[in-house]
PDB file of all heavy atoms in Angstrom:
ATOM      1  N   PRO F 664      -3.154  -1.751  22.476  1.00  0.00           N
ATOM      2  CA  PRO F 664      -1.871  -2.220  23.028  1.00  0.00           C
ATOM      3  C   PRO F 664      -1.422  -3.628  22.552  1.00  0.00           C
ATOM      4  O   PRO F 664      -0.262  -3.969  22.695  1.00  0.00           O
ATOM      5  CB  PRO F 664      -2.133  -2.147  24.516  1.00  0.00           C
ATOM      6  CG  PRO F 664      -3.581  -2.186  24.709  1.00  0.00           C
ATOM      7  CD  PRO F 664      -4.173  -1.536  23.493  1.00  0.00           C
ATOM      8  N   GLY F 665      -2.326  -4.360  22.097  1.00  0.00           N
ATOM      9  CA  GLY F 665      -1.958  -5.750  21.643  1.00  0.00           C
ATOM     10  C   GLY F 665      -1.431  -5.737  20.192  1.00  0.00           C
ATOM     11  O   GLY F 665      -1.028  -6.835  19.700  1.00  0.00           O
ATOM     12  N   CYS F 666      -1.432  -4.610  19.522  1.00  0.00           N
ATOM     13  CA  CYS F 666      -0.985  -4.559  18.097  1.00  0.00           C
ATOM     14  C   CYS F 666       0.158  -3.580  17.973  1.00  0.00           C
ATOM     15  O   CYS F 666      -0.012  -2.458  18.291  1.00  0.00           O
ATOM     16  CB  CYS F 666      -2.146  -4.149  17.157  1.00  0.00           C
ATOM     17  SG  CYS F 666      -1.888  -4.341  15.443  1.00  0.00           S
ATOM     18  N   ALA F 667       1.290  -4.045  17.446  1.00  0.00           N
ATOM     19  CA  ALA F 667       2.526  -3.252  17.192  1.00  0.00           C
ATOM     20  C   ALA F 667       2.517  -2.815  15.790  1.00  0.00           C
ATOM     21  O   ALA F 667       2.118  -3.511  14.891  1.00  0.00           O
ATOM     22  CB  ALA F 667       3.723  -3.967  17.642  1.00  0.00           C
ATOM     23  N   VAL F 668       3.059  -1.613  15.548  1.00  0.00           N
ATOM     24  CA  VAL F 668       3.263  -1.098  14.162  1.00  0.00           C
ATOM     25  C   VAL F 668       4.739  -1.215  13.782  1.00  0.00           C
ATOM     26  O   VAL F 668       5.648  -0.904  14.536  1.00  0.00           O
ATOM     27  CB  VAL F 668       2.852   0.391  14.106  1.00  0.00           C
ATOM     28  CG1 VAL F 668       3.212   1.005  12.760  1.00  0.00           C
ATOM     29  CG2 VAL F 668       1.313   0.486  14.336  1.00  0.00           C
ATOM     30  N   GLU F 669       4.909  -1.736  12.581  1.00  0.00           N
ATOM     31  CA  GLU F 669       6.251  -1.785  12.014  1.00  0.00           C
ATOM     32  C   GLU F 669       6.301  -0.783  10.818  1.00  0.00           C
ATOM     33  O   GLU F 669       5.511  -0.919   9.912  1.00  0.00           O
ATOM     34  CB  GLU F 669       6.532  -3.192  11.529  1.00  0.00           C
ATOM     35  CG  GLU F 669       7.899  -3.416  10.852  1.00  0.00           C
ATOM     36  CD  GLU F 669       8.036  -4.799  10.349  1.00  0.00           C
ATOM     37  OE1 GLU F 669       7.915  -5.723  11.176  1.00  0.00           O
ATOM     38  OE2 GLU F 669       8.327  -4.959   9.095  1.00  0.00           O
ATOM     39  N   LEU F 670       7.160   0.237  10.935  1.00  0.00           N
ATOM     40  CA  LEU F 670       7.270   1.227   9.833  1.00  0.00           C
ATOM     41  C   LEU F 670       8.246   0.672   8.763  1.00  0.00           C
ATOM     42  O   LEU F 670       9.292   0.192   9.048  1.00  0.00           O
ATOM     43  CB  LEU F 670       7.757   2.562  10.393  1.00  0.00           C
ATOM     44  CG  LEU F 670       6.804   3.396  11.148  1.00  0.00           C
ATOM     45  CD1 LEU F 670       7.422   4.600  11.820  1.00  0.00           C
ATOM     46  CD2 LEU F 670       5.611   3.854  10.152  1.00  0.00           C
ATOM     47  N   VAL F 671       7.768   0.788   7.515  1.00  0.00           N
ATOM     48  CA  VAL F 671       8.554   0.240   6.347  1.00  0.00           C
ATOM     49  C   VAL F 671       8.677   1.415   5.338  1.00  0.00           C
ATOM     50  O   VAL F 671       7.675   2.025   4.933  1.00  0.00           O
ATOM     51  CB  VAL F 671       7.787  -0.903   5.745  1.00  0.00           C
ATOM     52  CG1 VAL F 671       8.628  -1.432   4.517  1.00  0.00           C
ATOM     53  CG2 VAL F 671       7.599  -2.010   6.738  1.00  0.00           C
ATOM     54  N   GLU F 672       9.901   1.734   4.923  1.00  0.00           N
ATOM     55  CA  GLU F 672      10.103   2.717   3.918  1.00  0.00           C
ATOM     56  C   GLU F 672       9.647   2.231   2.547  1.00  0.00           C
ATOM     57  O   GLU F 672       9.935   1.117   2.138  1.00  0.00           O
ATOM     58  CB  GLU F 672      11.574   3.200   3.877  1.00  0.00           C
ATOM     59  CG  GLU F 672      11.791   4.365   2.905  1.00  0.00           C
ATOM     60  CD  GLU F 672      13.152   4.880   2.877  1.00  0.00           C
ATOM     61  OE1 GLU F 672      14.037   4.403   3.629  1.00  0.00           O
ATOM     62  OE2 GLU F 672      13.396   5.862   2.173  1.00  0.00           O
ATOM     63  N   VAL F 673       8.833   3.092   1.888  1.00  0.00           N
ATOM     64  CA  VAL F 673       8.377   2.833   0.529  1.00  0.00           C
ATOM     65  C   VAL F 673       9.101   3.623  -0.507  1.00  0.00           C
ATOM     66  O   VAL F 673       9.251   4.899  -0.273  1.00  0.00           O
ATOM     67  CB  VAL F 673       6.792   3.135   0.463  1.00  0.00           C
ATOM     68  CG1 VAL F 673       6.323   2.998  -0.932  1.00  0.00           C
ATOM     69  CG2 VAL F 673       6.051   2.194   1.427  1.00  0.00           C
ATOM     70  N   PRO F 674       9.548   3.107  -1.530  1.00  0.00           N
ATOM     71  CA  PRO F 674      10.345   3.841  -2.572  1.00  0.00           C
ATOM     72  C   PRO F 674       9.509   4.954  -3.158  1.00  0.00           C
ATOM     73  O   PRO F 674       8.292   4.782  -3.499  1.00  0.00           O
ATOM     74  CB  PRO F 674      10.724   2.771  -3.662  1.00  0.00           C
ATOM     75  CG  PRO F 674      10.621   1.482  -2.927  1.00  0.00           C
ATOM     76  CD  PRO F 674       9.537   1.607  -1.899  1.00  0.00           C
ATOM     77  N   LEU F 675      10.046   6.120  -3.307  1.00  0.00           N
ATOM     78  CA  LEU F 675       9.398   7.197  -3.897  1.00  0.00           C
ATOM     79  C   LEU F 675       8.907   6.927  -5.319  1.00  0.00           C
ATOM     80  O   LEU F 675       7.846   7.420  -5.785  1.00  0.00           O
ATOM     81  CB  LEU F 675      10.283   8.482  -3.871  1.00  0.00           C
ATOM     82  CG  LEU F 675       9.707   9.846  -4.295  1.00  0.00           C
ATOM     83  CD1 LEU F 675       8.596  10.269  -3.267  1.00  0.00           C
ATOM     84  CD2 LEU F 675      10.810  10.885  -4.336  1.00  0.00           C
ATOM     85  N   SER F 676       9.688   6.091  -6.092  1.00  0.00           N
ATOM     86  CA  SER F 676       9.422   5.804  -7.413  1.00  0.00           C
ATOM     87  C   SER F 676       8.412   4.728  -7.591  1.00  0.00           C
ATOM     88  O   SER F 676       7.976   4.438  -8.720  1.00  0.00           O
ATOM     89  CB  SER F 676      10.714   5.477  -8.174  1.00  0.00           C
ATOM     90  OG  SER F 676      11.339   4.319  -7.563  1.00  0.00           O
ATOM     91  N   ASP F 677       8.063   4.004  -6.458  1.00  0.00           N
ATOM     92  CA  ASP F 677       7.122   2.914  -6.561  1.00  0.00           C
ATOM     93  C   ASP F 677       6.246   2.960  -5.258  1.00  0.00           C
ATOM     94  O   ASP F 677       6.382   2.101  -4.397  1.00  0.00           O
ATOM     95  CB  ASP F 677       7.873   1.591  -6.649  1.00  0.00           C
ATOM     96  CG  ASP F 677       6.942   0.383  -6.874  1.00  0.00           C
ATOM     97  OD1 ASP F 677       5.717   0.639  -7.239  1.00  0.00           O
ATOM     98  OD2 ASP F 677       7.370  -0.790  -6.759  1.00  0.00           O
ATOM     99  N   PRO F 678       5.374   3.890  -5.224  1.00  0.00           N
ATOM    100  CA  PRO F 678       4.561   4.104  -3.952  1.00  0.00           C
ATOM    101  C   PRO F 678       3.622   2.994  -3.576  1.00  0.00           C
ATOM    102  O   PRO F 678       3.242   2.885  -2.463  1.00  0.00           O
ATOM    103  CB  PRO F 678       3.854   5.427  -4.205  1.00  0.00           C
ATOM    104  CG  PRO F 678       3.729   5.475  -5.716  1.00  0.00           C
ATOM    105  CD  PRO F 678       4.975   4.874  -6.270  1.00  0.00           C
ATOM    106  N   PHE F 679       3.230   2.147  -4.531  1.00  0.00           N
ATOM    107  CA  PHE F 679       2.192   1.201  -4.236  1.00  0.00           C
ATOM    108  C   PHE F 679       2.640  -0.257  -4.422  1.00  0.00           C
ATOM    109  O   PHE F 679       1.932  -1.210  -4.195  1.00  0.00           O
ATOM    110  CB  PHE F 679       0.964   1.379  -5.101  1.00  0.00           C
ATOM    111  CG  PHE F 679       0.402   2.769  -5.014  1.00  0.00           C
ATOM    112  CD1 PHE F 679       0.292   3.577  -6.127  1.00  0.00           C
ATOM    113  CD2 PHE F 679       0.111   3.379  -3.746  1.00  0.00           C
ATOM    114  CE1 PHE F 679      -0.257   4.867  -6.001  1.00  0.00           C
ATOM    115  CE2 PHE F 679      -0.394   4.632  -3.648  1.00  0.00           C
ATOM    116  CZ  PHE F 679      -0.541   5.447  -4.776  1.00  0.00           C
ATOM    117  N   GLY F 680       3.879  -0.421  -4.867  1.00  0.00           N
ATOM    118  CA  GLY F 680       4.404  -1.805  -5.069  1.00  0.00           C
ATOM    119  C   GLY F 680       4.422  -2.700  -3.871  1.00  0.00           C
ATOM    120  O   GLY F 680       3.908  -3.856  -3.929  1.00  0.00           O
ATOM    121  N   ARG F 681       4.904  -2.195  -2.766  1.00  0.00           N
ATOM    122  CA  ARG F 681       4.955  -3.014  -1.589  1.00  0.00           C
ATOM    123  C   ARG F 681       3.594  -3.205  -0.998  1.00  0.00           C
ATOM    124  O   ARG F 681       3.276  -4.255  -0.374  1.00  0.00           O
ATOM    125  CB  ARG F 681       5.869  -2.342  -0.538  1.00  0.00           C
ATOM    126  CG  ARG F 681       7.334  -2.360  -0.970  1.00  0.00           C
ATOM    127  CD  ARG F 681       8.307  -1.948   0.123  1.00  0.00           C
ATOM    128  NE  ARG F 681       9.660  -2.018  -0.398  1.00  0.00           N
ATOM    129  CZ  ARG F 681      10.773  -1.697   0.291  1.00  0.00           C
ATOM    130  NH1 ARG F 681      10.649  -1.128   1.479  1.00  0.00           N
ATOM    131  NH2 ARG F 681      11.911  -1.818  -0.201  1.00  0.00           N
ATOM    132  N   LEU F 682       2.711  -2.313  -1.249  1.00  0.00           N
ATOM    133  CA  LEU F 682       1.282  -2.483  -0.794  1.00  0.00           C
ATOM    134  C   LEU F 682       0.670  -3.618  -1.497  1.00  0.00           C
ATOM    135  O   LEU F 682      -0.012  -4.528  -0.915  1.00  0.00           O
ATOM    136  CB  LEU F 682       0.517  -1.114  -0.965  1.00  0.00           C
ATOM    137  CG  LEU F 682      -0.758  -0.958  -0.291  1.00  0.00           C
ATOM    138  CD1 LEU F 682      -0.695  -1.041   1.200  1.00  0.00           C
ATOM    139  CD2 LEU F 682      -1.449   0.362  -0.773  1.00  0.00           C
ATOM    140  N   ARG F 683       0.751  -3.573  -2.817  1.00  0.00           N
ATOM    141  CA  ARG F 683       0.144  -4.616  -3.613  1.00  0.00           C
ATOM    142  C   ARG F 683       0.796  -5.994  -3.408  1.00  0.00           C
ATOM    143  O   ARG F 683       0.143  -7.036  -3.573  1.00  0.00           O
ATOM    144  CB  ARG F 683       0.193  -4.226  -5.143  1.00  0.00           C
ATOM    145  CG  ARG F 683      -0.736  -3.058  -5.404  1.00  0.00           C
ATOM    146  CD  ARG F 683      -0.657  -2.645  -6.873  1.00  0.00           C
ATOM    147  NE  ARG F 683      -1.710  -1.688  -7.224  1.00  0.00           N
ATOM    148  CZ  ARG F 683      -1.521  -0.562  -7.815  1.00  0.00           C
ATOM    149  NH1 ARG F 683      -0.288  -0.193  -8.169  1.00  0.00           N
ATOM    150  NH2 ARG F 683      -2.532   0.278  -8.131  1.00  0.00           N
ATOM    151  N   ALA F 684       2.118  -6.003  -3.051  1.00  0.00           N
ATOM    152  CA  ALA F 684       2.788  -7.239  -2.847  1.00  0.00           C
ATOM    153  C   ALA F 684       2.583  -7.784  -1.436  1.00  0.00           C
ATOM    154  O   ALA F 684       2.996  -8.888  -1.069  1.00  0.00           O
ATOM    155  CB  ALA F 684       4.263  -7.031  -3.063  1.00  0.00           C
ATOM    156  N   GLY F 685       1.818  -7.083  -0.576  1.00  0.00           N
ATOM    157  CA  GLY F 685       1.456  -7.525   0.763  1.00  0.00           C
ATOM    158  C   GLY F 685       2.622  -7.279   1.735  1.00  0.00           C
ATOM    159  O   GLY F 685       2.608  -7.800   2.840  1.00  0.00           O
ATOM    160  N   GLN F 686       3.641  -6.483   1.322  1.00  0.00           N
ATOM    161  CA  GLN F 686       4.767  -6.189   2.256  1.00  0.00           C
ATOM    162  C   GLN F 686       4.382  -5.138   3.251  1.00  0.00           C
ATOM    163  O   GLN F 686       5.079  -4.943   4.262  1.00  0.00           O
ATOM    164  CB  GLN F 686       5.971  -5.770   1.403  1.00  0.00           C
ATOM    165  CG  GLN F 686       6.476  -6.908   0.497  1.00  0.00           C
ATOM    166  CD  GLN F 686       7.573  -6.478  -0.476  1.00  0.00           C
ATOM    167  OE1 GLN F 686       7.864  -5.263  -0.561  1.00  0.00           O
ATOM    168  NE2 GLN F 686       8.149  -7.400  -1.162  1.00  0.00           N
ATOM    169  N   VAL F 687       3.398  -4.291   2.953  1.00  0.00           N
ATOM    170  CA  VAL F 687       2.815  -3.350   3.967  1.00  0.00           C
ATOM    171  C   VAL F 687       1.356  -3.459   3.860  1.00  0.00           C
ATOM    172  O   VAL F 687       0.768  -3.874   2.897  1.00  0.00           O
ATOM    173  CB  VAL F 687       3.290  -1.953   3.668  1.00  0.00           C
ATOM    174  CG1 VAL F 687       4.824  -1.725   3.778  1.00  0.00           C
ATOM    175  CG2 VAL F 687       2.870  -1.365   2.331  1.00  0.00           C
ATOM    176  N   ASP F 688       0.719  -3.195   4.966  1.00  0.00           N
ATOM    177  CA  ASP F 688      -0.731  -3.250   5.109  1.00  0.00           C
ATOM    178  C   ASP F 688      -1.457  -1.978   4.782  1.00  0.00           C
ATOM    179  O   ASP F 688      -2.620  -1.962   4.240  1.00  0.00           O
ATOM    180  CB  ASP F 688      -1.175  -3.702   6.537  1.00  0.00           C
ATOM    181  CG  ASP F 688      -0.519  -4.932   6.893  1.00  0.00           C
ATOM    182  OD1 ASP F 688      -0.692  -5.936   6.240  1.00  0.00           O
ATOM    183  OD2 ASP F 688       0.278  -4.900   7.920  1.00  0.00           O
ATOM    184  N   VAL F 689      -0.778  -0.817   5.010  1.00  0.00           N
ATOM    185  CA  VAL F 689      -1.338   0.522   4.757  1.00  0.00           C
ATOM    186  C   VAL F 689      -0.121   1.408   4.561  1.00  0.00           C
ATOM    187  O   VAL F 689       0.926   1.165   5.093  1.00  0.00           O
ATOM    188  CB  VAL F 689      -2.262   0.960   5.911  1.00  0.00           C
ATOM    189  CG1 VAL F 689      -1.534   1.016   7.226  1.00  0.00           C
ATOM    190  CG2 VAL F 689      -2.961   2.289   5.610  1.00  0.00           C
ATOM    191  N   THR F 690      -0.374   2.490   3.749  1.00  0.00           N
ATOM    192  CA  THR F 690       0.779   3.381   3.479  1.00  0.00           C
ATOM    193  C   THR F 690       0.329   4.762   3.397  1.00  0.00           C
ATOM    194  O   THR F 690      -0.790   5.100   2.973  1.00  0.00           O
ATOM    195  CB  THR F 690       1.558   2.969   2.224  1.00  0.00           C
ATOM    196  OG1 THR F 690       2.723   3.716   2.134  1.00  0.00           O
ATOM    197  CG2 THR F 690       0.645   3.222   1.007  1.00  0.00           C
ATOM    198  N   PHE F 691       1.131   5.688   3.872  1.00  0.00           N
ATOM    199  CA  PHE F 691       0.957   7.119   3.658  1.00  0.00           C
ATOM    200  C   PHE F 691       1.260   7.423   2.206  1.00  0.00           C
ATOM    201  O   PHE F 691       2.235   6.887   1.606  1.00  0.00           O
ATOM    202  CB  PHE F 691       1.872   7.943   4.554  1.00  0.00           C
ATOM    203  CG  PHE F 691       1.455   7.957   5.972  1.00  0.00           C
ATOM    204  CD1 PHE F 691       2.045   7.006   6.819  1.00  0.00           C
ATOM    205  CD2 PHE F 691       0.532   8.822   6.469  1.00  0.00           C
ATOM    206  CE1 PHE F 691       1.660   7.004   8.185  1.00  0.00           C
ATOM    207  CE2 PHE F 691       0.156   8.833   7.760  1.00  0.00           C
ATOM    208  CZ  PHE F 691       0.713   7.901   8.663  1.00  0.00           C
ATOM    209  N   THR F 692       0.404   8.227   1.572  1.00  0.00           N
ATOM    210  CA  THR F 692       0.511   8.484   0.146  1.00  0.00           C
ATOM    211  C   THR F 692      -0.003   9.868  -0.232  1.00  0.00           C
ATOM    212  O   THR F 692      -0.650  10.482   0.537  1.00  0.00           O
ATOM    213  CB  THR F 692      -0.184   7.364  -0.662  1.00  0.00           C
ATOM    214  OG1 THR F 692       0.016   7.590  -2.034  1.00  0.00           O
ATOM    215  CG2 THR F 692      -1.707   7.554  -0.435  1.00  0.00           C
ATOM    216  N   LEU F 693       0.335  10.233  -1.448  1.00  0.00           N
ATOM    217  CA  LEU F 693      -0.258  11.462  -2.002  1.00  0.00           C
ATOM    218  C   LEU F 693      -1.668  11.282  -2.400  1.00  0.00           C
ATOM    219  O   LEU F 693      -2.089  10.195  -2.925  1.00  0.00           O
ATOM    220  CB  LEU F 693       0.621  12.003  -3.203  1.00  0.00           C
ATOM    221  CG  LEU F 693       1.988  12.486  -2.939  1.00  0.00           C
ATOM    222  CD1 LEU F 693       2.729  12.736  -4.269  1.00  0.00           C
ATOM    223  CD2 LEU F 693       1.957  13.726  -2.149  1.00  0.00           C
ATOM    224  N   LEU F 694      -2.498  12.277  -2.264  1.00  0.00           N
ATOM    225  CA  LEU F 694      -3.926  12.252  -2.741  1.00  0.00           C
ATOM    226  C   LEU F 694      -4.111  13.297  -3.799  1.00  0.00           C
ATOM    227  O   LEU F 694      -3.326  14.264  -3.820  1.00  0.00           O
ATOM    228  CB  LEU F 694      -4.858  12.557  -1.541  1.00  0.00           C
ATOM    229  CG  LEU F 694      -4.837  11.562  -0.392  1.00  0.00           C
ATOM    230  CD1 LEU F 694      -5.825  11.980   0.713  1.00  0.00           C
ATOM    231  CD2 LEU F 694      -5.150  10.122  -0.918  1.00  0.00           C
ATOM    232  N   PRO F 695      -5.083  13.140  -4.720  1.00  0.00           N
ATOM    233  CA  PRO F 695      -6.085  12.138  -4.716  1.00  0.00           C
ATOM    234  C   PRO F 695      -5.552  10.798  -5.173  1.00  0.00           C
ATOM    235  O   PRO F 695      -4.519  10.768  -5.890  1.00  0.00           O
ATOM    236  CB  PRO F 695      -7.132  12.719  -5.667  1.00  0.00           C
ATOM    237  CG  PRO F 695      -6.341  13.555  -6.609  1.00  0.00           C
ATOM    238  CD  PRO F 695      -5.302  14.205  -5.737  1.00  0.00           C
TER     239      PRO F 695
END
Side-chain angles (χ1 to χ4, degrees):
C666 190
V668 172
E669 179 182 305
L670 282 172
V671 180
E672 185 173 1
V673 172
L675 188 65
S676 60
D677 186 13
F679 306 124
R681 291 188 177 178
L682 193 61
R683 290 178 170 129
Q686 295 172 352
V687 297
D688 304 300
V689 60
T690 188
F691 287 93
T692 188
L693 290 171
L694 298 179

